[in-house]
Amino acid sequence: MFAWLSEKETDFVEIKENFEIKKKQFTINAYFDLKTSLIIKSYPTDPNLPDAVHIKSGGKNVIPGTSIKGAVRSRAERILNTKFDAEKSGILTKELFGFVNEDDPKSKAIKSKLRIEESVLEKEKFTEEIQARIKIDRFTGGTMSGALFDSMPLFRNNKNGNEKVINLRMSINDYKYYEAGLLLLVLKDLWAGDLTIGGEKNVGRGVLEGMFAEIKNGNGLNINIEDLKKLLNQIKINFKNM
């Protein structure tokens, strides 16, 4: 590792000092049930398959971290816009979620502090169903000619009460207090079903229902939450140092 970092060929590097890695990390490990249906679209090349199916990795249905992060970023930006002007809201969003200006290579890129892991969905908990869809002409209110398509979203299989079937794991390294509070506000919206994930939201897909969340602040504080009221009681944000 040292040879690669230093770009020098060596068999052994002696470290004379001990390095202590100090890492302050805020983490949320949350579990949800699927209230409606879910599809994060991928487009198969097989002509016998529907036009759009839920994305898979290694043959298993998954929710990519990038899809969750996109929804989280959009909602966090809306929350910040209610408190600050567009300029400050944009700065705070970039500090947490990262930013790069591809049109200006000389501009400083900002690495994202938020990490969201991919969620693997258990096969026995979900079923895939093909649904035929049409597109509506907004001017006439009728169907658009030639706009028939089908998709294959996921539905809960043999749902018996509320179960922990979707696990979302989020963490912020070297977080600031307001960033932890902001992520809790987004968690509240996910928990209550106000923030949806995936595609075809216009027909009600992607609505989750919060079941359980484990929250850690990296300083020994662990909080377990099982209902929305308890989550709301834990949301405290200090905007003074932002």
Side-chain angles (χ1 to χ4, degrees):
M1 182 184 69
F2 276 92
W4 182 79
L5 290 172
S6 62
E7 299 181 351
K8 297 178 181 179
E9 293 186 8
T10 179
D11 295 327
F12 178 76
V13 175
E14 182 180 357
I15 302 176
K16 297 181 180 180
E17 299 179 6
N18 293 327
F19 291 91
E20 182 181 354
I21 300 176
K22 295 182 180 179
K23 193 176 183 181
K24 187 174 70 169
Q25 187 179 66
F26 178 80
T27 61
I28 294 177
N29 187 20
Y31 292 85
F32 300 85
D33 198 355
L34 180 61
K35 202 169 185 178
T36 55
S37 57
L38 175 68
I39 185 168
I40 297 173
K41 290 183 179 180
S42 65
Y43 301 95
T45 56
D46 188 344
N48 296 318
L49 290 175
D51 297 317
V53 300
H54 188 83
I55 191 169
K56 289 181 170 62
S57 177
K60 297 180 180 180
N61 291 310
V62 298
I63 303 177
T66 51
S67 296
I68 305 169
K69 193 172 185 179
V72 170
R73 176 172 184 148
S74 176
R75 180 52 56 92
E77 201 166 15
R78 288 182 62 183
I79 294 171
L80 289 172
N81 283 336
T82 63
K83 181 70 178 178
F84 304 104
D85 56 45
E87 182 179 0
K88 185 162 187 178
S89 173
I91 293 173
L92 296 174
T93 302
K94 291 173 184 177
E95 286 180 354
L96 179 57
F97 294 94
F99 172 76
V100 60
N101 187 355
E102 296 181 351
D103 297 328
D104 184 8
K106 296 182 179 180
S107 64
K108 183 180 179 181
I110 302 173
K111 183 179 179 181
S112 173
K113 297 169 65 177
L114 175 65
R115 178 181 180 184
I116 301 180
E117 299 181 26
E118 180 182 88
S119 178
V120 180
L121 306 179
E122 296 181 27
K123 187 176 181 180
E124 60 272 14
K125 299 292 184 181
F126 298 90
T127 184
E128 299 173 320
E129 293 185 13
I130 300 177
Q131 290 190 327
R133 303 279 311 282
I134 57 173
K135 287 185 179 180
I136 301 297
D137 189 323
R138 69 177 67 183
F139 298 105
T140 66
T143 59
M144 295 182 66
S145 178
L148 177 66
F149 65 100
D150 51 15
S151 61
M152 192 162 63
L154 301 179
F155 294 85
R156 281 282 280 112
N157 190 26
N158 300 323
K159 186 171 181 178
N160 184 18
N162 297 322
E163 298 181 77
K164 303 171 185 175
V165 298
I166 297 177
N167 180 211
L168 303 184
R169 297 178 296 276
M170 301 177 277
S171 61
I172 307 175
N173 289 327
D174 298 322
Y175 70 94
K176 297 176 182 177
Y177 186 59
Y178 83 87
E179 293 172 335
L182 183 61
L183 199 59
L184 283 175
L185 286 173
V186 176
L187 173 64
K188 182 262 297 180
D189 289 346
L190 281 169
W191 194 285
D194 183 62
L195 174 60
T196 58
I197 60 174
E200 301 186 356
K201 299 179 179 68
N202 57 327
V203 293
R205 305 205 198 284
V207 180
L208 305 181
E209 186 175 2
M211 295 289 106
F212 178 81
E214 183 183 20
I215 301 168
K216 298 180 180 180
N217 74 343
N219 292 322
L221 177 63
N222 298 343
I223 302 171
N224 294 332
I225 302 221
E226 297 178 356
D227 58 75
L228 182 59
K229 185 177 180 181
K230 189 174 181 181
L231 175 59
L232 292 173
N233 291 336
Q234 294 295 335
I235 296 177
K236 298 177 182 179
I237 305 179
N238 183 358
F239 288 103
K240 294 180 181 178
N241 298 321
M242 294 173 66

